[in-house]
Amino acid sequence: MDDAMGLAAWAGLLADRTRASFCLALLDGRAWTVGELARHAGVAVSTASEHADRLVAGGLLAQRRQGRHRYLQLAGPSVAALIESVAAAQTSTGTGTPVTTLAAAHRRRNVAFARTCYDHLAGYLGVALADAMGGNGFVTRTHGIALTSRGVAWLGSIGVFLEKPGRRPVLRECLDWTERRSHLAGTAGAAICRHAFDAGWVVRIGSGRAVKVTPMGVRAFEDQLGLVIGSAERDAPGAAPATPAGARHR
């Protein structure tokens, strides 16, 4: 039997601005304290705690306690994918929050250019990375998306070695809510994102999800993938396809 009540209850968890704000903030893949979420959403800590309890009870968030603090994260990559898909849907229907200030426009441009989506790269950068990996023969879509042997070898050449297959797929397409196309998720997407941070190719902008590509990253993406990355200030990323300047076959 269809679980209509369960679906309605899940949708109800997101049908609140504060709880939705928490979920979107936690798409950065990090653990936040209740106090940090309260400041982000502009509510009292007691109010934030009540909303956090509901999200934990509903299975959208996971929590752990460390000393006096309670840390909250999205319950897993499947929840992150659902949140990102919902965000993509509301953007495509034009129901998103309008930008009314220059600062808000700048933040949105940064988020659209490059950001984390839970534990992988998204935005213009994430989609361009997916295109470049396909163009270099590292990814195939012949029978569903998958890494090729060349892709596995390339990851090894930059020091990325994937864990043994588990419940999470090695590679999965995730619909990007700003580009309206897919970026790469799964354990491979997460490993590439982690390597990009560890190697200094990307760094976070402030405390949000937005990231910027460093000069080292610009050189690395071009050298490794033939991918020429501009900047959020020069480029105006949107729904148009992000195409690498030239695939560099290895």
Side-chain angles (χ1 to χ4, degrees):
M1 186 175 71
D2 291 340
D3 188 8
M5 289 296 293
L7 178 60
W10 179 86
L13 288 171
L14 294 178
D16 176 271
R17 179 195 169 279
T18 298
R19 293 194 293 275
S21 177
F22 288 3
C23 291
L24 287 172
L26 291 168
L27 274 175
D28 69 357
R30 294 177 291 182
W32 291 45
T33 65
V34 173
E36 289 169 338
L37 289 172
R39 287 192 293 274
H40 174 77
V43 298
V45 173
S46 58
T47 300
S49 184
E50 292 175 4
H51 285 297
D53 288 343
R54 290 194 60 179
L55 290 167
V56 171
L60 292 184
L61 300 189
Q63 67 177 350
R64 72 173 188 272
R65 294 187 180 274
Q66 186 171 316
R68 296 183 304 153
H69 296 292
R70 178 166 62 139
Y71 290 89
L72 296 146
Q73 288 179 292
L74 293 180
S78 61
V79 172
L82 285 171
I83 300 299
E84 187 81 359
S85 296
V86 171
Q90 62 90 24
T91 300
S92 66
T93 57
T95 56
T97 304
V99 175
T100 58
T101 67
L102 187 61
H106 185 67
R107 286 194 298 270
R108 181 163 291 190
R109 184 169 65 247
N110 286 338
V111 167
F113 183 76
R115 65 183 182 276
T116 52
C117 174
Y118 189 57
D119 60 0
H120 51 274
L121 293 170
Y124 175 90
L125 174 63
V127 171
L129 176 63
D131 287 345
M133 290 188 68
N136 280 285
F138 300 158
V139 170
T140 179
R141 290 177 171 82
T142 304
H143 301 291
I145 190 164
L147 275 177
T148 64
S149 58
R150 289 181 62 186
V152 173
W154 172 71
L155 288 176
S157 74
I158 62 172
V160 175
F161 301 96
L162 301 179
E163 299 175 359
K164 293 181 179 180
R167 294 182 59 185
R168 189 178 185 187
V170 172
L171 206 59
R172 181 180 64 78
E173 291 187 286
C174 182
L175 179 62
D176 196 284
W177 67 268
T178 50
E179 292 294 318
R180 319 272 181 87
R181 300 175 64 233
S182 293
H183 55 251
L184 301 179
T187 57
I192 292 169
C193 179
R194 188 163 54 249
H195 178 77
F197 276 110
D198 291 345
W201 296 359
V202 298
V203 294
R204 292 191 184 276
I205 300 175
S207 61
R209 285 206 286 157
V211 303
K212 66 178 180 181
V213 183
T214 66
M216 183 187 301
V218 169
R219 292 191 296 272
F221 282 120
E222 184 170 4
D223 180 60
Q224 293 292 334
L225 294 165
L227 176 58
V228 177
I229 300 294
S231 69
E233 287 73 23
R234 280 199 317 229
D235 301 322
T243 304
R248 180 161 301 172
H249 297 286
R250 296 168 65 87

